[in-house]
Amino acid sequence: MNTMKIQIITLFPEMFEGVLNSSMLWKAQDRGLVEFSVIDLRQFGLGPRNQVDDPPYGGGDGMVLMVEPLSKAIAHAKAQDETAKVYLPTPRGKTFKQSDAKRVAASEEGLIIVCPRYEGYDERIIDWVDEQYSIGNYVLTGGEIPAMVLLDSVTRLIPGVLGGEESAEKESFQQDDVSIEHPQYTRPEDFNGKKVPSVLLSGNHARIEQWKDENSR
Ligand code: 6GU
């Protein structure tokens, strides 16, 4: 069994604790299907204060992550996993789609996700980067949440992570943004007068399948 290795480089390791140690991501690690490690970019900072950012050349607001700490952190991660691909979440990247999650889950054994901060990073880092992805048309404060989106969408597609093997196939976004699964209901049948659609209680499998089809898109 191959264990997918996902290394995350960030200035905010604590942001990942809850996400990686809960629910399916925790189970996936517990089952040995994936191994996460969070690398603190600050460790690779320069000088006695472990500096990681500096004002931009040409002026402008905010600070820019320096290329040297970033490249050192990536080199450290590569030393743990030589064939790992380096992913950079950035609003300048192409939009990450379900098809990308599938490709990564099926073909990569190791990922290094480098989380930039919102003000930016020295563009020269892209020489160490294999892929740049955005997660949509809005602006976030840093690459951490996009990194979580990437690793969650990939991990759940690793065989053995979801309970029912079919679940990953049937569900939403089978191809990119096409199919959304039908709504679901569980007990109670009647919640303060709001009833479960009666067809689902009918026991008539043909009618139930038809209802499910009609309520998917
Ligand atoms: Cl990858 N980063 C940031 N900062 N904002 C984003 C994004 C990434 N994708 C959409 N918005």
Side-chain angles (χ1 to χ4, degrees), residues 71-84:
S71 66
K72 281 185 178 160
I74 293 170
H76 169 87
K78 280 256 171 150
Q80 317 296 308
D81 186 0
E82 284 166 18
T83 62

Side-chain angles (χ1 to χ4, degrees), residues 89-91 118 133-143 146:
T90 167
Y118 65 104
Y133 281 111
S134 162
I135 63 163
N137 296 330
Y138 33 76
V139 182
L140 301 170
T141 58

Side-chain angles (χ1 to χ4, degrees), residues 2 7 39 44 49 52 59 86 98 122 124 126 135 151 184-185 196 198 203 215:
N2 282 339
Q7 303 184 80
I39 298 167
F44 302 92
R49 304 190 54 206
V52 294
V86 180
Q98 184 66 15
D122 190 312
R124 290 170 290 182
I126 65 168
I135 63 163
L151 66 86
Q184 302 197 84
Y185 300 87
V196 172
S198 57
N215 288 281

